[in-house]
Amino acid sequence: MPTAEQLFHNLLGDTHQGRLIDKLGNFATENFGEQGLKFFNTLTVAQVLYQLYEARHQKKDAARALLGKITTDKIKEFCKKEKNPEKQKEFAAQQIAIYQLALSRF
């Protein structure tokens, strides 16, 4: 995980670390009134948006792993049955193209 992404995860994504955001927001609200409340609301929105972003990436990574396993298994199974190397290459290229197309739609 890149450094900036790790920082965002620690501050906005991880709910345990996210309590730091709550404390900061409470401090700002208590000491800076209306402006502090606006700041706190902005932090809360940023936290929710980042958690949605993170959840989407987790689903995408899981789908990528599952599709990769299925594609690999299909290619291996085909290569066990088919002994012609040209047909093996053609089938593998076709399956990889389908895999890449499926990933591009996420």
Side-chain angles (χ1 to χ4, degrees), residues 21-40 43:
I21 295 293
D22 293 339
K23 289 178 183 176
L24 181 61
N26 290 337
F27 173 80
T29 302
E30 290 171 5
N31 294 305
F32 298 101
E34 187 65 30
Q35 292 298 325
L37 182 61
K38 287 180 183 177
F39 176 72
F40 179 63
L43 286 176

Side-chain angles (χ1 to χ4, degrees), residues 8-97:
F8 284 133
H9 172 77
N10 286 345
L11 291 177
L12 300 173
D14 187 3
T15 55
H16 178 70
Q17 294 286 340
R19 292 188 183 123
L20 176 67
I21 295 293
D22 293 339
K23 289 178 183 176
L24 181 61
N26 290 337
F27 173 80
T29 302
E30 290 171 5
N31 294 305
F32 298 101
E34 187 65 30
Q35 292 298 325
L37 182 61
K38 287 180 183 177
F39 176 72
F40 179 63
N41 289 340
T42 302
L43 286 176
T44 303
V45 169
Q47 192 173 21
V48 169
L49 290 175
Y50 184 77
Q51 288 172 349
L52 290 171
Y53 164 82
E54 202 171 52
R56 182 170 184 255
H57 273 281
Q58 289 172 348
K59 287 179 184 177
K60 192 173 187 178
D61 290 344
R64 180 179 292 121
L66 181 61
L67 285 173
K69 173 114 176 73
I70 292 170
T71 301
T72 303
D73 290 347
K74 283 174 97 174
I75 292 170
K76 285 180 182 177
E77 195 62 36
F78 182 82
C79 290
K80 285 179 186 176
K81 295 176 184 173
E82 180 61 55
K83 299 303 175 191
N84 184 341
E86 291 303 316
K87 288 185 179 180
Q88 290 177 349
K89 288 179 187 176
E90 184 179 312
F91 182 78
Q94 177 190 27
Q95 292 302 310
I96 291 171

